[in-house]
Amino acid sequence: MLCWLQQALRAYDNPVIDAAIRLANTMQLPVLVYHGVRKDYPYASDRLHHFILGASVDLADGCRRRGLAVVQHVDRAERREKGLAYRLCIDAAALVLEDQPTFVARWQAERVAVRIDIPVFAVNAACLVPPAVIGADVTGRTAFLRRHEPARATWLAWDDEVAEVAPYEGDLPFTPDRLGADDLGRLIAELDIDHSVPASAAHPAGRAAAEGRLARLLAAVLPGYASARNDATRSDGASGLSPYLHFGVLGPREIMAAVDAAPAGAQHKRKFADELLGWREWFHYQARQLAVPEGYHRVAGWARQTLADHAGDPRPEHETLEAMLRGETRDETWNACQRQFLADGWMHNNLRMYWAKRIIAMTSSPEAAWATACYLNDRLSLDGRDPSTYGNLAAMFAGAPADRERPVYGKVATRGDGSTRHREGGAAWLEQAAARLVPAVTIPATAPVDPYLTGGPPI
Ligand SMILES: Cc1cc2nc3c(=O)[nH]c(=O)nc-3n(C[C@H](O)[C@H](O)[C@H](O)COP(=O)(O)OP(=O)(O)OC[C@H]3O[C@@H](n4cnc5c(N)ncnc54)[C@H](O)[C@@H]3O)c2cc1C
């Protein structure tokens, strides 16, 4: 039974692995877990590779502890293994992979599923309540929550499956890598990827770091979450868990079980659940319903129309891509936001709203704004390329219409920076942000375009 993990990089509490074990037990077959990393996916960088491969090391250790054979492969010039997933399928009875609605995991799963002739099962490990069980007919968040909320308790109860058959020891169509945490720096340095975007010190890779973040959430963040979460100047206002969630190092079930058991006040737990389950899983559901969740055309029609009506307006706040990428525009607050992306590979939620809205004024057209926002978010942020990326950006490009029409934005509401700048401590925070050392990331030769509209998935 081949279990292909693409983004759910955890050994336990992993529905993809558990589905593979359950199927394998039924057929009295061993499971082979496979995790491979290409070097030619969009935005491949030291930052993403470190995070992914660090998680893969712990994933493999955990799988072995569970009595499962696991093979890893890092794509590189001297170790190209074309079509590895297909070749691994040749001797498999069935393939279990991920039901992920965006980016590489989705493209790969869709491509493989139509080309192989063994059964393929796509299992969701990203959400507490798998989007597939909600049904395909929900169009609004309120209706989504009406189905989602009652389903949560059922999915919170989980027991890891136990493999009945000894680990797979048969032939393999390639020589696997055996990744160790100590080898990753050297290995990554030799790859033909973007070395100008370095690993994030704020979000170290691996399971121990994720567990540390979860412990910090329970002890320091959750007790004040409902009131502190909007304050970007505080270091204890938000959990910083999104990178670990994006790459599945931690699943929402484990986080919610810990939150439910914590002694924090009910209003804080409710607010946290609203973000982690109510918003995050809504965006996953939305993305799964869309053929191309990453494209500009997902933005509400009225918003695209009003932005198009104002596409010819003068744009005095226009900035070059270089100034934006490096966080060196004329807007001090925007630069502070962008510098968080550059330095940490993460940005506070409250800043992201201002950052995204301002990109509409800083670029030459609404389409260029969308492409630039996706590009900056996806290239720099560890949690980018996610259903929450495109869902939130779409909300920033539309949302509730403004009370009056403005240049460039039309009826799309604008947003000021007062919630950070005018807070107590705001000025000091801006000063610190400006003084931060950030990497000098390379500037692309051409401006970003919406890659998903022009030629389909780039790989
Ligand atoms: C323009 C814009 C772009 C965004 N891009 C991304 C992205 O690329 N990847 C991403 O994961 N999130 C994105 N978000 C959502 C949110 O900003 C981040 O999830 C959050 O800042 C992550 O920090 P945290 O883990 O400390 O959040 P916490 O406040 O600790 O929240 C806990 C978890 O709840 C979920 N969550 C919180 N807020 C949201 C939200 N608005 N939408 C969906 N889920 C949420 C996240 O999984 C988060 O890890 C974006 C928001 C905006 C406005």
Side-chain angles (χ1 to χ4, degrees), residues 95-166:
L95 169 64
V96 183
L97 46 59
E98 294 184 34
D99 186 357
Q100 269 283 357
T102 53
F103 211 63
V104 177
R106 175 174 180 161
W107 309 334
Q108 286 179 332
E110 288 180 349
R111 203 169 301 173
V112 166
V114 294
R115 289 211 198 145
I116 58 175
D117 53 11
I118 57 172
V120 180
F121 299 90
V123 178
N124 183 287
C127 296
L128 174 69
V129 182
V133 308
I134 300 289
D137 57 332
V138 174
T139 50
R141 185 169 172 265
T142 308
F144 169 79
L145 292 177
R146 267 201 300 275
R147 291 199 196 162
H148 192 272
E149 283 173 355
R152 291 177 187 172
T154 313
W155 291 92
L156 265 174
W158 192 262
D159 285 321
D160 288 330
E161 299 282 336
V162 178
E164 291 168 5
V165 180

Side-chain angles (χ1 to χ4, degrees), residues 175-414:
T175 308
D177 289 308
R178 182 146 182 154
L179 300 176
D182 296 340
D183 315 327
L184 295 185
R186 186 187 43 78
L187 175 67
I188 292 168
E190 288 169 5
L191 297 176
D192 177 20
I193 56 175
D194 179 1
H195 296 298
S196 75
V197 180
S200 161
H203 291 90
R207 180 70 197 177
E211 286 173 4
R213 280 269 169 194
L214 179 56
R216 179 180 159 278
L217 164 70
L218 304 178
V221 176
L222 195 61
Y225 185 74
S227 40
R229 62 175 290 275
N230 274 329
D231 185 350
T233 67
R234 286 177 65 152
S235 61
D236 60 354
S239 70
L241 279 168
S242 54
Y244 303 96
L245 278 157
H246 173 74
F247 286 109
V249 186
L250 278 172
R253 179 182 2 261
E254 183 178 356
I255 298 173
M256 270 326 292
V259 164
D260 283 347
Q267 78 274 30
H268 302 299
K269 293 183 183 186
R270 232 185 349 262
K271 188 64 202 153
F272 190 84
D274 186 41
E275 300 299 336
L276 180 67
L277 304 179
W279 281 107
R280 181 174 177 273
E281 300 205 359
W282 163 237
F283 289 132
H284 272 258
Y285 177 83
Q286 269 192 328
R288 199 171 183 277
Q289 302 308 109
L290 293 167
V292 187
E294 303 91 348
Y296 178 59
H297 62 278
R298 72 167 291 163
V299 174
W302 70 264
R304 277 183 287 134
Q305 185 58 57
T306 191
L307 290 170
D309 292 343
H310 288 268
D313 290 357
R315 289 168 184 257
E317 290 164 310
H318 183 270
E319 296 283 349
T320 64
L321 178 63
E322 178 167 357
M324 294 176 79
L325 193 49
R326 298 237 159 113
E328 293 170 357
T329 70
R330 288 163 288 168
D331 180 336
E332 184 189 25
T333 308
W334 195 91
N335 294 343
C337 304
Q338 175 69 7
R339 293 168 81 80
Q340 209 165 64
F341 259 173
L342 284 166
D344 300 336
W346 176 89
M347 195 195 295
H348 190 280
N349 179 63
N350 195 267
L351 302 180
R352 294 192 201 218
M353 294 191 268
Y354 177 74
W355 173 89
K357 289 274 190 193
R358 291 286 296 142
I359 291 175
I360 296 173
M362 290 178 168
T363 42
S364 56
S365 70
E367 291 82 2
W370 178 264
T372 303
C374 290
Y375 166 78
L376 296 173
N377 198 133
D378 287 351
R379 181 174 175 202
L380 299 175
S381 191
L382 282 164
D383 63 19
R385 310 155 307 282
D386 191 269
S388 292
T389 313
Y390 313 113
N392 275 292
L393 283 174
M396 291 302 110
F397 276 64
D403 44 6
R404 68 181 172 87
E405 205 152 339
R406 291 184 175 79
V408 180
Y409 288 85
K411 292 185 206 114
V412 171
T414 56

Side-chain angles (χ1 to χ4, degrees), residues 2 4 84-95 112 116 118:
L2 183 61
W4 181 11
L84 195 45
Y86 300 100
R87 283 153 58 203
L88 281 164
C89 284
I90 290 172
D91 287 329
L95 169 64
V112 166
I116 58 175
I118 57 172

